């Protein structure tokens, strides 16, 4: 198998790793792509990024009140 972040995965396609990647594991190599997009355009002064491990996505919330979401204008 292949090892990532201290965890052993079987050969073949891995739909989702613990760190939110989709991977292909072969005896020669492991290649992965992230399952999430990173917000790049948002109010960085008043908002912050919080990674949601369950959904494999970033939430952008107000620093002063994390229960309120902020608008996001671009992701990569």
């Amino acid at each position: 198998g292949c090892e990532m972040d201290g965890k052993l995965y079987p050969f073949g396609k891995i739909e989702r790793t613990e760190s939110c990647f989709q991977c292909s594991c072969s005896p020669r190599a492991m290649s992965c792509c992230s399952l999430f997009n990173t917000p790049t355009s948002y109010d960085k002064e008043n908002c912050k990024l919080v990674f949601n491990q369950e959904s494999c996505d970033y939430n952008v919330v107000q620093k002063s009140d994390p229960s309120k979401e902020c608008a996001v204008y671009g992701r990569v």
Side-chain angles (χ1 to χ4, degrees):
C2 298
E3 186 176 340
M4 180 181 208
D5 298 329
K7 181 169 173 144
L8 186 63
Y9 292 93
F11 290 126
K13 185 175 181 179
I14 303 153
E15 291 297 326
R16 178 181 164 175
T17 67
E18 289 183 2
S19 51
C20 295
F21 286 87
Q22 185 177 66
C23 300
S24 176
C25 172
S26 74
R28 291 186 174 183
M30 183 174 189
S31 60
C32 301
C33 294
S34 66
L35 293 172
F36 54 89
N37 295 311
T38 305
T40 55
S41 299
Y42 60 93
D43 181 355
K44 292 180 175 89
E45 186 175 319
N46 297 306
C47 302
K48 65 180 179 176
L49 295 176
V50 177
F51 191 73
N52 183 325
Q53 193 72 32
E54 278 187 38
S55 66
C56 287
D57 198 11
Y58 281 99
N59 296 325
V60 183
V61 297
Q62 292 182 8
K63 290 178 181 177
S64 61
D65 184 356
S67 68
K68 294 182 180 174
E69 291 189 12
C70 295
V72 177
Y73 306 105
R75 291 178 180 257
V76 293

